[in-house]
Amino acid sequence: MIAQINPNYIKTRPLKVLTRFMSYALFEGRPVTTKGRWINPLVFSILKTVSATKNRYKSIEKPIFILGTGRSGTTILGIVLSMHRDIGYLNEPKAIWHVIHPHEDIIGNYTRADAKYRLTAEDATDDMRQRAAQMFGAYLTATRSKRLVDKYPELIFRLDFVRALFPDARFIFLVRNGWDTCHSIANWSQRLGVEVNGEKHDWWGVNDRKWKLIAEQLVKTDAAFVDIADEVKHFERHLDRATIEWIVTMQEGLRLLQAFPDCIHLVRFEDLTAEPDETLDKLCSFCELPADNTFRAYARQTLHPVPARKPFDIHPKIAPVFHDMMEKLRYNS
């Protein structure tokens, strides 16, 4: 399914198909675990040209960023929002973010240089603000969209950086039951992980690049793991690593909700799929998106409850922290 487009998407709002293909082909870039990476030189040529021009593109007003743990429903939420008449949707436009900040690539999609999992307001420069405004503005202009939605879950560790670029940004923190999220991450990595030219490419980055950054830059600085940080970095099983990623991401999200309640909105995946009307009403109100009956009808057709996964044999050293987080998020662990 190219660019997350299916027959119902085409039928509901045909012009949105062009927007999604334009997003997919010219702005998002193709990461290491996908096909079609031959297009990346063209994408970067376009982005760098746009970022360096003095053209006046559409201004970015109240951009919306979807945050959380990957495999928690962020993609389906982004696709549903992309059907709104005002929205242009970018699905993990890591090519754009790599042009904005050259050390943000935690996966190794485009560089093997050092990377930072966390980015703060102090990391944002005037040049970065200019590049971000130009590239995202050019995207809105090209797609004739009024509002931007950017789904890039790891931006949850860069919220201050994003706010330094876009002070009026809105953030959606999507949460999902930990058992389900971790199962989905593990299955994804086992199913789509490949070896290319002697390198392992999977959920954990090129040759575990992402996992090493999680262990060194997130786990080591987390009081919940202070006594077992050295042991955690040697985890090999996908489920154990996924559990760590889910915990540190949920902890960050809850911290942000407390620190910035005016700009971040929590959405539970289970509510989104079981009660789409009510959940999207609250989300659209928070994001100041006008009513759109076609968007609402598409959401009802697309969102359906997903059967829960069974618990797995969680690593005993991290089980207490996992269960505590499940309780904080009101899941019955």
Side-chain angles (χ1 to χ4, degrees):
M1 191 164 54
I2 298 176
Q4 301 88 38
I5 293 171
N6 60 24
N8 189 40
Y9 194 96
I10 298 170
K11 178 182 177 182
T12 303
R13 226 169 211 158
L15 288 178
K16 282 288 185 177
V17 178
L18 178 60
T19 300
R20 275 304 301 141
F21 272 121
M22 191 179 299
S23 307
Y24 176 84
L26 302 180
F27 289 91
E28 293 173 357
R30 308 302 301 137
V32 293
T33 53
T34 60
K35 297 178 181 178
R37 285 177 56 79
W38 57 267
I39 202 172
N40 283 338
L42 173 61
V43 172
F44 279 104
S45 177
I46 292 171
L47 295 178
K48 289 176 181 178
T49 299
V50 166
S51 67
T53 64
K54 301 299 182 182
N55 293 351
R56 293 180 64 87
Y57 298 109
K58 276 192 177 180
S59 59
I60 312 298
E61 297 181 1
K62 298 178 182 177
I64 301 163
F65 297 91
I66 301 174
L67 316 176
T69 310
R71 308 303 300 170
S72 61
T74 54
T75 298
I76 191 61
L77 174 57
I79 286 298
V80 167
L81 285 173
S82 78
M83 189 54 67
H84 192 286
R85 66 173 182 269
D86 285 355
I87 283 176
Y89 167 62
L90 287 164
N91 180 51
E92 300 194 19
K94 295 177 181 179
I96 290 179
W97 286 102
H98 185 57
V99 174
I100 293 171
H101 195 298
H103 297 289
E104 71 81 38
D105 188 354
I106 58 175
I107 297 293
N109 290 310
Y110 310 117
T111 183
R112 301 299 188 267
D114 291 342
K116 298 173 68 175
Y117 223 104
R118 292 186 182 275
L119 294 174
T120 68
E122 287 69 32
D123 291 302
T125 66
D126 289 341
D127 285 344
M128 291 178 187
R129 292 184 184 91
Q130 174 68 15
R131 291 198 293 271
Q134 285 292 99
M135 287 185 288
F136 285 118
Y139 170 71
L140 290 183
T141 300
T143 58
R144 298 184 179 182
S145 303
K146 295 180 180 179
R147 298 284 298 279
L148 169 73
V149 170
D150 177 338
K151 188 270 288 192
Y152 187 175
E154 286 86 355
L155 290 180
I156 196 167
F157 295 100
R158 301 164 179 181
L159 186 138
D160 285 338
F161 176 74
V162 177
R163 292 185 76 206
L165 304 179
F166 303 110
D168 60 352
R170 299 289 184 269
F171 301 91
I172 302 168
F173 173 37
L174 185 64
V175 304
R176 186 182 182 186
N177 184 302
W179 299 117
D180 298 342
T181 305
C182 294
H183 268 300
S184 187
I185 290 173
N187 291 341
W188 189 99
S189 203
Q190 291 166 356
R191 180 168 53 89
L192 297 178
V194 295
E195 186 167 316
V196 179
N197 298 326
E199 290 182 335
K200 182 176 67 171
H201 296 176
D202 62 13
W203 185 266
W204 309 110
V206 174
N207 289 337
D208 279 351
R209 174 184 172 96
K210 176 183 174 181
W211 173 247
K212 291 172 183 176
L213 290 170
I214 289 175
E216 290 295 322
Q217 297 184 11
L218 301 182
V219 172
K220 271 193 174 182
T221 61
D222 191 321
F225 300 111
V226 64
D227 295 328
I228 59 170
D230 288 337
E231 185 173 352
V232 165
K233 71 180 180 182
H234 296 297
F235 282 180
E236 294 288 341
R237 193 172 69 146
H238 291 299
L239 282 171
D240 294 333
R241 291 181 172 188
T243 304
I244 292 292
E245 183 180 7
W246 183 80
I247 292 170
V248 296
T249 304
M250 295 301 100
Q251 286 181 162
E252 186 71 7
L254 292 180
R255 183 188 72 79
L256 294 172
L257 278 169
Q258 188 171 24
F260 306 106
D262 293 336
C263 71
I264 185 167
H265 177 70
L266 185 145
V267 173
R268 294 167 63 89
F269 175 77
E270 293 79 11
D271 294 341
L272 178 67
T273 53
E275 303 172 345
D277 279 342
E278 180 180 349
T279 304
L280 290 173
D281 274 349
K282 293 177 181 177
L283 187 154
C284 289
S285 176
F286 174 80
C287 294
E288 300 179 51
L289 289 169
D292 183 339
N293 291 333
T294 301
F295 153 72
R296 293 290 296 278
Y298 177 77
R300 292 189 205 103
Q301 295 168 0
T302 303
L303 296 168
H304 306 285
V306 178
R309 304 286 188 92
K310 293 182 179 179
F312 51 87
D313 55 329
I314 193 167
H315 194 290
K317 290 290 183 70
I318 57 177
V321 187
F322 174 83
H323 291 300
D324 180 61
M325 182 54 64
M326 290 281 280
E327 290 293 329
K328 288 180 179 178
L329 294 172
R330 296 185 291 110
Y331 290 111
N332 183 2
S333 61

